[in-house]
Amino acid sequence: MLHKIFSLTALMFASLSYAETTTITDVLDREVTFDAPAQRVIVGFYPEDYMAIGTEAAYDKVVGMSKYIWQARSANWDMYVKHKPALADIPGIGRVDTKTFSVEKVINLNPDLIMLADWQFKGLGSDIERLESAGIAVIVVDYNAQSLERHVKSTKIIGAITGQSQRAAEIANEYTEQLTMITDRLSKANLPKPRIYTEFGASGINEIGYTFGKNMWGAIATMAGGDNISAPYIEWWGKLNPEQILASDPEIVVITGYETGNGSDAMLMGEGVDESIAIKRLAGFKNRLGWSSLSAVQNNRMYAVYHGACRTILDAALVQFYAKAMYPKLFSDLTPEVAYKDFYKKYLPVTPEGTFMTAL
C-alpha cells in the first residue's frame, strides 16, 4: 500500500514538473501565457497542421474544434477518422464566418487554451474578452497569409502548445529551405514574370468562382514568381469580372477544387479523385465563354490543384508546383507530387491517395 502511495505521489510530481508556464508572442504580437504542453485545447482552424506538428497524440488533448474546415475535405476527414475514430467524437464549436461559433460551448468545455486563425480572432471581436475572462488563453496563428514569416511563426507556436518545439523547428526549417531555394533561383534567373490566374472551381464552368489577391493561392502565385492578375483588384479573395479576366489574358490558369463540388462540371481534386476525372473537369473550363482567346487556353497551360493543400505548412509542395508550371525549365528537377506525399509519410499517420496536382 505504501509503495502505491509513493508511486502515485511520484506520478503527480512528474506531471506537475512536465507542465511549464510558458509565454509566447503570437502572430498578432500578443503575449500569451499558458502551461505547456497544454492539456485541454480547442483547435479553431488548421487541424491537419496541429497534428503534423504536435503528432497524432496531440489530439488526445483536444477537447473541441471547429470541425467544418476539415469536414469540407470530406474524403480527407474520413481517412483520418478511419485511422483515429476518436476524432469524430470531439465536440464541434461552430463557425466564426457563419456566426454559429458558440462562446458558451467553448467555456463549458473548460479548455486551457483556444488556438484561432487570425481572421477568426478578428471576426470574434468582443467575444475574445469573454473567453479570456473565463481564464482561457487565446492564441492566434496564421497560415492564410501565406507568408514565410507567419508560416514559420505559427508552426513554432503550435510546437510550444503541444510540447513539440524541436519537431516544429525541424518542419519550419524544412519549409524555409524549400521556399528559399525557389526564391533564390528566381532571383538569379531574373526571368519575365508570367501572368497567372487562380480560381476556386467548385461552382463549375458557368459561374466565375473566387480568386485570390494577397493571400492563399494569390500569395503562392506571387511567391513562386508569377504576376497574379487578381492582385490589383482583389485584396484577399473575391470574384473578378469575367471581362477583366479576358482583358488580363493570363498565360497560365490554375483551377482549384475539393473532393466534391456543385454540379457535374465542378473541379474535383483530392483524396480518392482519379486523375482522368480531374483532367476531364479541368478541360471543361477551356469551353467557358470567351476563354478560347486566352493565352493559357491556346497554349494548353492549364493546371489544377487541391484546394485543401493551401494555407498550411504542407503547402511547400504547392509552391513548387506553381513555380514549375510557370518556369518548367528552371524547375525541371522538382517533383512536387512526391514532395507532397513525402510530408505525409514523414509527419502524419496517413498518406492520401488521389489527385492533388495535375495539368492538361
Side-chain angles (χ1 to χ4, degrees), residues 213-244:
K214 294 179 181 178
N215 70 351
M216 294 178 62
W217 297 112
I220 284 181
T222 301
M223 194 181 299
D227 176 10
N228 176 21
I229 69 163
S230 303
Y233 312 102
I234 305 293
E235 184 172 12
W236 302 118
W237 58 83
K239 296 184 179 183
L240 273 187
N241 186 303
E243 293 182 359
Q244 184 59 56

Side-chain angles (χ1 to χ4, degrees), residues 251-278:
E251 297 164 89
I252 294 163
V253 166
V254 181
I255 306 294
T256 75
Y258 280 129
E259 291 90 347
T260 57
N262 302 323
S264 59
D265 59 354
M267 190 66 235
L268 297 183
M269 295 291 289
E271 171 70 15
V273 176
D274 188 89
E275 188 168 23
S276 63
I277 298 297

Side-chain angles (χ1 to χ4, degrees), residues 31 56 66 70 79 87 107-108 135 176 193 198 215 276 295 312 318 341 351 354 357 360:
E31 284 196 354
E56 183 180 357
S66 194
W70 209 344
M79 174 179 63
L87 289 173
I107 292 173
N108 288 336
T176 300
K193 293 182 178 181
T198 303
N215 70 351
S276 63
S295 296
T312 167
L318 277 298
K341 289 191 175 182
T351 303
M357 314 165 203
L360 293 184

Side-chain angles (χ1 to χ4, degrees), residues 24-322:
I24 60 102
T25 302
D26 71 12
V27 298
L28 296 180
D29 292 328
R30 301 166 56 252
E31 284 196 354
V32 185
T33 300
F34 62 99
D35 288 339
Q39 298 301 301
R40 295 182 64 81
V41 179
I42 290 182
V43 177
F45 213 65
Y46 313 121
E48 206 170 10
D49 299 274
Y50 196 81
M51 185 178 289
I53 298 158
T55 78
E56 183 180 357
Y59 269 86
D60 295 337
K61 309 295 185 183
V62 174
V63 298
M65 60 191 296
S66 194
K67 301 174 87 167
Y68 79 97
I69 189 61
W70 209 344
Q71 292 174 334
R73 304 162 60 194
S74 54
N76 181 281
W77 167 253
D78 291 343
M79 174 179 63
Y80 275 100
V81 170
K82 183 178 180 180
H83 173 79
K84 190 177 179 69
L87 289 173
D89 300 326
I90 297 174
I93 58 168
R95 300 175 57 166
V96 174
D97 57 329
T98 59
K99 301 189 184 303
T100 58
F101 182 93
S102 174
V103 174
E104 290 76 15
K105 189 166 189 177
V106 169
I107 292 173
N108 288 336
L109 289 169
N110 193 31
D112 302 326
L113 66 83
I114 180 169
M115 185 185 82
L116 297 172
D118 180 355
W119 67 268
Q120 288 178 312
F121 178 88
K122 292 170 180 173
L124 285 172
S126 61
D127 282 338
I128 296 298
E129 294 179 12
R130 294 177 61 193
L131 295 172
E132 292 177 329
S133 296
I136 302 168
V138 179
I139 297 178
V140 183
V141 294
D142 183 18
Y143 291 103
N144 280 61
Q146 208 64 57
S147 71
L148 177 58
E149 179 187 2
R150 284 208 168 184
H151 264 51
V152 167
K153 190 164 190 175
S154 298
T155 300
K156 291 182 177 180
I157 290 170
I158 295 174
I161 293 170
T162 59
Q164 292 288 342
S165 293
Q166 185 173 345
R167 181 181 174 95
E170 179 182 350
I171 292 172
N173 288 341
E174 289 177 359
Y175 190 88
T176 300
E177 288 172 2
Q178 291 186 59
L179 264 64
T180 300
M181 174 272 294
I182 290 171
T183 55
D184 283 352
R185 282 197 202 179
L186 289 169
S187 179
K188 291 176 182 177
N190 195 27
L191 297 169
K193 293 182 178 181
R195 299 182 303 279
I196 185 168
Y197 171 70
T198 303
E199 179 183 320
F200 181 39
S203 297
I205 64 175
N206 294 316
E207 181 181 341
I208 297 294
Y210 285 96
T211 187
F212 309 90
K214 294 179 181 178
N215 70 351
M216 294 178 62
W217 297 112
I220 284 181
T222 301
M223 194 181 299
D227 176 10
N228 176 21
I229 69 163
S230 303
Y233 312 102
I234 305 293
E235 184 172 12
W236 302 118
W237 58 83
K239 296 184 179 183
L240 273 187
N241 186 303
E243 293 182 359
Q244 184 59 56
I245 299 172
L246 297 179
S248 298
D249 188 25
E251 297 164 89
I252 294 163
V253 166
V254 181
I255 306 294
T256 75
Y258 280 129
E259 291 90 347
T260 57
N262 302 323
S264 59
D265 59 354
M267 190 66 235
L268 297 183
M269 295 291 289
E271 171 70 15
V273 176
D274 188 89
E275 188 168 23
S276 63
I277 298 297
I279 289 175
K280 182 178 179 181
R281 295 294 179 93
L282 177 59
F285 284 83
K286 296 176 72 172
N287 299 321
R288 267 185 172 166
L289 183 65
W291 274 36
S292 61
S293 65
L294 295 182
S295 296
V297 172
Q298 292 181 354
N299 296 318
N300 221 34
R301 298 188 72 182
M302 297 191 66
Y303 302 83
V305 296
Y306 181 41
H307 197 70
C310 186
R311 59 178 181 237
T312 167
I313 196 62
L314 285 74
D315 61 39
L318 277 298
V319 181
Q320 287 188 23
F321 184 79
Y322 267 71

